[in-house]
């Protein structure tokens, strides 16, 4: 059929709904293609984010103050932080000045980009870069060139960041990695480095300064270009005023605030503790300690000042522990960190050293728990032989009869060795180990009597941890350096023994520089203290305990060489009292009340029994003692069977008071009782005490008994009461040669209580008398027999 020209064919037309569907389909296809391309690009060029366990490390005090920063491999200092830990003033200034649409754009702000392009065309150079905060983060974490192609890469990376991270995560990346000049990255590091304060405590002016600084960190460094930094800061302040975000008054105050910055330096407080914790946690980027930053700095300054008066190469260590928590508040491991002359890299808080006499309180506490002693038990400080071991005192003098309290307060060596011999060295070492003090002995060595005088090695932190037992009812602990460190405590002494020993140490008068005067420290802050000195003046110690704190001081040379004349009471104790004065009285740890197991009782010397149960003639000296668990042990029996047997002696005598031996009888015989003193104490007894315990002579005709074993001796070579004078113009000290007659045993010679040497039998002994005045010379045999004479030395004439 031929088509009729008067009726044309119909033309296809599309309704609006059909066109919309086609546009929507095209849009979806384009979007899918764009998404596929974006996905492909994201997979081909993955986002490289900084790892959370890489970078620099900062060790913080308990309040967040940086103690020491460890730069990363590139030398960068960065202190990890989050938006929640930064001042809201800074966040507001940052977002207002850099990117006020941060929470609304997808990483790119088209308006800002167009504005930046327009400004560049108008002025011929870039006026506003149009970068969002996300784009800045992209450039910070990935090197991107400042070219047109680089800008496209930067935009792509910004979109990646927005796709993978939340806004909070992106903001935290900026806060931690933004450049602030030199090796400083991140607002927290910048705040501490330039302003000396955390970013959470910024003023309006400081917040504005740190907000603008990353724009040009080299040109705006406040420590180098203060005026340029001020102008940039004021520009931010004007923006905040124009936006009505800060009040006019706040802006005026901020504008007059000067730009003052510290010279850049890494913090270096508690440096050795920080290094120790960093080595223990190498992957941690933020390590919070228990250290009090202000107290730490003050203590380091005090130690440095104190050490300036001591011999060269001398170092020191101080550790302060809170008794309530065992948290360390001060950790000074060296006098001057990194000082090569003082070996400042050596941490003397944990270096093994000889403890000197610092273990004696634990020995007497253990003896109290064993029921061997009371606080006033009679001990003898005289030359003694313990199976070939012959200890002397630090000052080489002897004091005769002393109480346990006196022996501990004066740190006498012979009484301590005597008590350790009865407790047992192996048991004592095991008890210390249970309380946290592991003594280092030479290879192959077994615990022996020298341990109590420093014949082993331990650490300052172990001693301080153990001494907390005297504030915590006998429970010792391990010092804690981080809040996460577990609380470790062990029973070392009973509450009663710990209380008695602390009472003894707290009532020890200290006649040294810096010691508190009577009445200047109240009872709750009174310091219980003990000193120690190792052999050869290598280590000087002082450990103190109050209700709130336990603290220890070590002074010496890290290389172990001697420091003659430097010992605990003279060198370490004054610094320890300085430490005590610097510590606050918190009352967080109440003063331990006297335990019910402890009671005061009057005891009698020389027997050791109660005054109530001892006849008056036998109670030669009455003393008030602390008794534990009602134990009232007698005075120690003497070791040498040839010596007098200490204690109560019952004798038969005749009517004239003459002694009757076993097979001998006399007229009107009867019994008497004598309270005998230990034989070695005899040279130091008062005349009335010696007479009261003297053996009555045997009745003529009676055979000798065992009580006469200690034959009398006498000193030959000079008469008692003689006056001597040094030869005129002689610079040599006066010498005399003496003999002990009446014995074949070894004889110890003492001048004014100070050991001079020994002789055997009647062999001569050369005694030097260097000082004018009256002198007492004593010859003491090992079985207790003794003789003494008094001589006077006059000054030479002429």
């Amino acid at each position: 059929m031929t088509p009729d020209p008067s009726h044309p064919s119909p033309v296809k037309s599309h309704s609006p709904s059909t066109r919309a569907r086609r546009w929507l389909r095209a849009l979806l296809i384009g979007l899918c293609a764009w998404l596929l391309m974006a996905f492909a690009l994201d997979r081909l060029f993955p986002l490289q984010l900084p790892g959370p366990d890489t970078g620099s490390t900062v060790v913080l005090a308990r309040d967040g103050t940086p103690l020491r920063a460890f730069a990363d491999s590139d030398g960068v200092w960065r202190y990890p932080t989050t938006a929640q830990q930064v001042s809201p003033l800074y966040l507001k200034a940052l977002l207002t000045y850099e990117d006020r649409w941060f929470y609304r754009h997808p990483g790119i702000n088209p308006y800002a980009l167009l504005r930046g392009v327009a400004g560049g065309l108008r002025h011929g150079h870039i006026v506003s870069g149009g970068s969002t905060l996300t784009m800045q983060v992209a450039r910070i974490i990935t090197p991107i060139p400042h070219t047109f192609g680089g800008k496209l890469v930067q935009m792509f990376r910004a979109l990646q960041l927005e796709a993978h991270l939340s806004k909070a995560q992106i903001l935290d990346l900026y806060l931690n990695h933004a450049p602030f000049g030199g090796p400083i990255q991140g607002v927290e590091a910048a705040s501490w480095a330039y302003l000396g304060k955390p970013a959470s405590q910024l003023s309006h002016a400081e917040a504005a300064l740190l907000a603008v600084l990353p724009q040009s960190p080299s040109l705006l460094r406040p420590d180098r270009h203060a005026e340029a930094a001020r102008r940039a800061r004021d520009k931010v302040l004007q923006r905040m005023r124009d936006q009505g975000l800060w009040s006019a008054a706040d802006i005026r105050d901020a504008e007059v605030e000067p730009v003052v910055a510290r010279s850049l330096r890494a913090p270096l407080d508690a440096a050795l503790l920080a290094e120790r914790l960093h080595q223990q946690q190498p992957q941690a980027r933020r390590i919070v300690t228990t250290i009090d930053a202000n107290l730490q700095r003050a203590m380091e300054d005090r130690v440095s000042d104190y050490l300036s008066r001591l011999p060269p190469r001398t170092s020191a260590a101080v550790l302060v522990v809170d008794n309530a928590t065992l948290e360390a508040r001060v950790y000074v491991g060296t006098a001057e960190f990194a000082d090569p002359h003082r070996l400042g890299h050596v941490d003397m808080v944990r270096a093994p050293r000889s403890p000197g006499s610092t273990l004696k309180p634990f020995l007497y506490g253990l003896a109290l728990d064993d029921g061997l002693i009371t606080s006033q038990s009679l001990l003898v400080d005289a030359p003694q032989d313990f199976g070939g071991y012959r200890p002397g005192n630090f000052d080489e003098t002897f004091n005769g009869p002393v109480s346990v309290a006196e022996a501990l307060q004066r740190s006498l060596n012979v009484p301590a060795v005597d008590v350790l011999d009865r407790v047992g060295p192996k048991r004592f070492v095991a008890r210390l180990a249970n309380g946290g003090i592991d003594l280092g002995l030479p290879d192959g060595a077994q615990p022996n009597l020298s341990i109590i005088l420093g014949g082993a090695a331990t650490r300052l932190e172990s001693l301080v941890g153990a001494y907390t037992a005297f504030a915590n009812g006998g429970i010792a602990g391990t010092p804690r350096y981080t809040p996460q460190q577990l609380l470790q405590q062990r029973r070392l002494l009973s509450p009663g023994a710990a209380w008695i020993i602390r009472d003894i140490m707290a009532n020890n008068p200290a006649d040294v520089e810096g010691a508190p005067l009577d009445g200047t420290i109240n009872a709750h802050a009174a310091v219980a203290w003990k000193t120690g000195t190792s052999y050869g003046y290598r280590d000087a110690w002082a450990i103190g305990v109050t209700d709130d704190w336990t603290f220890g001081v070590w002074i010496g040379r890290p290389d172990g060489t001697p420091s003659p004349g430097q010992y605990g009471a003279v060198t370490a104790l004054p610094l320890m009292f300085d430490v005590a004065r610097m510590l606050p009285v918190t009352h967080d740890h109440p003063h331990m009340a006297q335990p019910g197991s402890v009671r005061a009782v009057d005891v009698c010397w020389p027997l050791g029994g109660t005054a109530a149960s001892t006849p008056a003639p036998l109670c030669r000296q009455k003393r008030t003692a602390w008794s534990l668990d009602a134990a009232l042990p007698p005075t120690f029996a003497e070791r040498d069977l040839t010596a007098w047997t200490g204690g109560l002696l019952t004798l038969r005598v005749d009517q004239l008071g003459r002694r009757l031996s076993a097979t001998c009888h006399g007229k009107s015989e009867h019994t008497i009782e004598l309270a005998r003193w230990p034989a070695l104490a005899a040279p130091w007894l008062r005349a009335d005490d010696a007479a009261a315990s003297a053996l009555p002579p045997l009745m003529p005709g009676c055979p000798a008994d065992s009580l006469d074993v200690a034959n009398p001796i006498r000193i030959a070579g000079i008469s008692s009461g003689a006056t001597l004078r040094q030869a005129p113009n002689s610079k040599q000290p006066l010498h005399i040669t003496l003999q002990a007659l009446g014995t074949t045993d070894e004889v110890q010679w003492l001048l004014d209580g100070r050991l001079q040497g020994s002789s055997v039998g009647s062999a001569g002994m050369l005694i030097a008398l260097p000082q004018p005045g009256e002198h007492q010379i004593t010859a003491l045999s090992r079985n207790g027999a003794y003789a003494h004479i008094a001589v006077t030395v006059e000054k030479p004439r002429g």
Side-chain angles (χ1 to χ4, degrees):
M1 177 181 294
T2 303
D4 187 350
S6 61
H7 299 282
S9 300
V11 178
K12 293 183 180 179
S13 62
H14 301 286
S15 65
S17 61
T18 301
R19 288 195 300 270
R21 285 195 297 271
R22 287 182 177 180
W23 276 106
L24 180 60
R25 186 183 308 113
L27 181 63
L28 290 174
I29 292 173
L31 181 61
C32 289
W34 185 87
L35 290 174
L36 287 173
M37 182 178 66
F39 179 76
L41 290 174
D42 186 62
R43 296 298 297 270
L44 289 173
F45 305 100
L47 191 64
Q48 301 294 327
L49 295 175
D53 58 347
T54 59
S56 58
T57 296
V58 59
V59 180
L60 306 169
R62 62 197 301 254
D63 64 352
T65 301
L67 297 174
R68 184 179 180 184
F70 295 89
D72 63 11
S73 57
D74 297 324
V76 171
W77 301 342
R78 185 186 306 114
Y79 303 169
T81 191
T82 65
Q84 289 73 28
Q85 297 170 320
V86 172
S87 168
L89 295 176
Y90 170 77
L91 294 177
K92 185 173 290 188
L94 173 68
L95 295 177
T96 300
Y97 192 74
E98 291 289 353
D99 188 357
R100 58 195 178 102
W101 302 102
F102 173 70
Y103 286 104
R104 300 178 186 177
H105 62 64
I108 300 173
N109 188 339
Y111 171 75
L113 286 174
L114 291 174
R115 183 185 60 193
V117 171
L121 293 174
R122 185 181 309 114
H123 297 281
H125 60 88
I126 296 177
V127 177
S128 174
S131 294
T132 64
L133 202 66
T134 308
M135 293 173 65
Q136 295 183 45
V137 171
R139 190 182 295 279
I140 288 171
I141 65 175
T142 305
I144 299 175
H146 289 271
T147 62
F148 178 76
K151 180 63 71 172
L152 294 178
V153 173
Q154 184 182 13
M155 294 167 61
F156 166 68
R157 292 300 190 190
L159 293 172
Q160 278 186 300
L161 285 169
E162 294 282 352
H164 287 277
L165 303 178
S166 67
K167 290 290 187 179
Q169 290 172 312
I170 294 171
L171 181 58
D172 285 348
L173 280 174
Y174 182 89
L175 296 179
N176 283 283
H177 295 273
F180 281 86
I184 304 299
Q185 285 189 7
V187 65
E188 187 71 15
S191 184
W192 281 109
Y194 292 120
L195 306 175
K197 63 196 306 186
S200 61
Q201 299 177 9
L202 299 176
S203 66
H204 290 80
E206 293 165 340
L209 174 65
L210 295 185
V212 74
L213 185 53
Q215 279 199 350
S216 185
S218 297
L219 298 178
L220 300 179
R221 277 182 56 168
D223 60 325
R224 294 181 178 177
H225 311 289
E227 180 59 25
R230 185 193 64 78
R231 290 195 298 266
R233 179 203 68 182
D234 290 350
K235 187 177 179 180
V236 177
L237 293 174
Q238 292 169 9
R239 178 77 58 84
M240 302 302 290
R241 178 182 55 199
D242 295 343
Q243 296 289 334
L245 298 174
W246 289 349
S247 69
D250 288 336
I251 298 298
R252 285 194 301 272
D253 292 341
E255 287 177 336
V256 299
E257 188 174 314
V259 173
V260 179
R262 309 186 310 173
S263 59
L264 286 186
R265 69 175 184 87
L268 210 60
D269 299 318
L272 289 174
L273 173 62
E275 184 174 294
R276 175 179 181 175
L277 296 176
H278 182 43
Q279 290 173 350
Q280 292 174 356
Q281 307 175 53
Q283 302 303 318
R285 296 295 152 247
R286 185 184 179 94
I287 302 175
V288 179
T289 72
T290 62
I291 297 299
D292 184 304
N294 293 330
L295 197 56
Q296 175 74 27
R297 284 193 291 267
M299 204 70 72
E300 289 185 357
D301 291 343
R302 183 68 192 99
V303 170
S304 179
D305 178 68
Y306 187 81
L307 265 289
S308 65
R309 70 183 73 171
L310 296 181
R313 298 188 290 120
T314 302
S315 188
V318 177
L319 182 65
V320 178
V321 170
D322 184 333
N323 291 330
T325 63
L326 295 184
E327 292 181 346
R329 294 287 181 258
V330 172
Y331 188 113
V332 181
T334 181
E336 296 290 345
F337 177 68
D339 182 346
H341 300 291
R342 299 184 190 271
L343 298 182
H345 64 284
V346 180
D347 187 352
M348 300 310 300
V349 168
R350 54 174 176 163
R353 306 292 292 205
S354 166
S357 297
T358 57
L359 302 180
K360 288 176 181 175
F362 306 111
L363 171 64
Y364 290 116
L366 180 56
L368 280 165
D369 278 332
D370 287 348
L372 295 176
I373 58 173
T374 67
S375 66
Q376 291 295 322
S377 288
L378 170 61
L379 303 175
V380 180
D381 181 35
Q384 296 192 50
D385 188 314
F386 299 90
Y389 180 52
R390 301 178 180 181
N393 288 321
F394 180 78
D395 59 2
E396 299 181 351
T397 63
F398 295 93
N399 302 274
V402 293
S403 69
V404 165
E406 292 169 331
L408 177 55
Q409 290 171 342
R410 297 163 68 177
S411 199
L412 302 177
N413 289 342
V414 176
V417 173
D418 186 9
V419 173
L420 179 59
D421 188 43
R422 299 171 195 272
V423 168
K426 290 184 178 179
R427 181 166 171 266
F428 178 60
V429 169
R431 191 66 169 266
L432 289 179
N434 184 66
I437 300 180
D438 290 319
L439 294 180
L441 298 172
D443 292 341
Q446 294 294 320
N448 55 60
L449 297 179
S450 70
I451 286 172
I452 199 59
L453 306 185
T458 191
R459 296 170 172 81
L460 176 61
E461 62 184 356
S462 297
L463 283 174
V464 170
Y467 267 75
T468 61
F470 298 115
N472 290 330
I475 299 176
T478 300
R480 301 168 62 208
Y481 303 123
T482 66
Q484 296 77 29
Q485 186 175 342
L486 295 178
L487 181 65
Q488 299 180 38
Q489 293 181 294
R490 312 169 190 87
R491 170 68 63 187
L492 182 56
L493 299 171
S494 70
W499 189 92
I500 292 173
I501 296 300
R502 178 177 172 182
D503 180 77
I504 293 173
M505 294 192 296
N507 287 284
N508 189 6
D511 185 18
V512 299
E513 179 187 355
L517 301 175
D518 289 342
T520 60
I521 294 182
N522 62 51
H524 293 294
V527 181
W529 57 270
K530 182 70 185 75
T531 61
T533 308
S534 67
Y535 178 76
Y537 300 97
R538 288 173 170 82
D539 306 276
W541 303 85
I543 316 292
V545 181
T546 65
D547 290 343
D548 297 312
W549 310 100
T550 298
F551 38 92
V553 171
W554 172 90
I555 296 178
R557 289 175 174 165
D559 61 4
T561 55
S563 299
Q566 305 299 320
Y567 53 94
V570 166
T571 306
L573 190 59
L575 180 56
M576 189 215 72
F577 282 123
D578 284 348
V579 172
R581 274 188 291 271
M582 295 172 69
L583 298 175
V585 179
T586 66
H587 299 296
D588 290 340
H589 197 279
H591 188 70
M592 187 173 67
Q594 178 180 328
S597 58
V598 175
R599 66 184 182 94
V601 59
D602 289 336
V603 298
C604 287
W605 281 10
L607 299 179
T610 65
S613 62
T614 303
L618 303 181
C619 187
R620 299 304 309 170
Q621 292 186 32
K622 185 168 68 173
R623 298 188 173 221
T624 300
W626 292 119
S627 172
L628 180 62
D629 296 324
L632 292 170
T635 300
F636 287 156
E638 302 199 49
R639 290 177 179 78
D640 194 338
L641 295 179
T642 65
W644 293 346
T645 301
L648 184 64
L649 183 63
T650 301
L651 300 173
R652 289 186 304 115
V653 297
D654 65 8
Q655 62 180 357
L656 298 179
R658 296 173 297 184
R659 189 170 86 250
L660 302 173
S661 53
T663 60
C664 191
H665 298 278
K667 188 176 181 180
S668 301
E669 64 180 66
H670 58 282
T671 61
I672 62 171
E673 290 183 326
L674 293 180
R676 303 304 302 275
W677 293 81
L680 292 176
W684 288 270
L685 294 180
R686 300 188 314 232
D688 58 336
D689 286 334
S693 70
L695 283 173
L698 273 173
M699 187 183 75
C702 287
D705 55 22
S706 60
L707 298 178
D708 278 327
V709 170
N711 295 318
I713 61 175
R714 62 186 181 88
I715 297 174
I718 195 172
S719 300
S720 184
T723 298
L724 307 173
R725 182 179 295 114
Q726 189 174 350
N729 302 320
S730 174
K731 296 182 179 179
Q732 299 297 321
L734 186 64
H735 288 81
I736 57 176
T737 300
L738 304 176
Q739 293 175 288
L741 304 180
T743 182
T744 59
D745 291 336
E746 181 182 35
V747 175
Q748 306 277 348
W749 292 87
L750 295 90
L751 175 65
D752 300 326
R754 186 184 298 270
L755 183 65
Q756 303 297 301
S758 61
S759 63
V760 178
S762 59
M765 179 67 193
L766 185 66
I767 303 290
L769 300 169
Q771 300 295 330
E774 294 186 358
H775 298 280
Q776 296 287 329
I777 300 174
T778 302
L780 178 63
S781 69
R782 63 182 301 175
N783 66 3
Y786 74 96
H788 61 244
I789 60 174
V791 298
T792 301
V793 177
E794 294 185 349
K795 295 181 180 180
R797 294 176 179 174

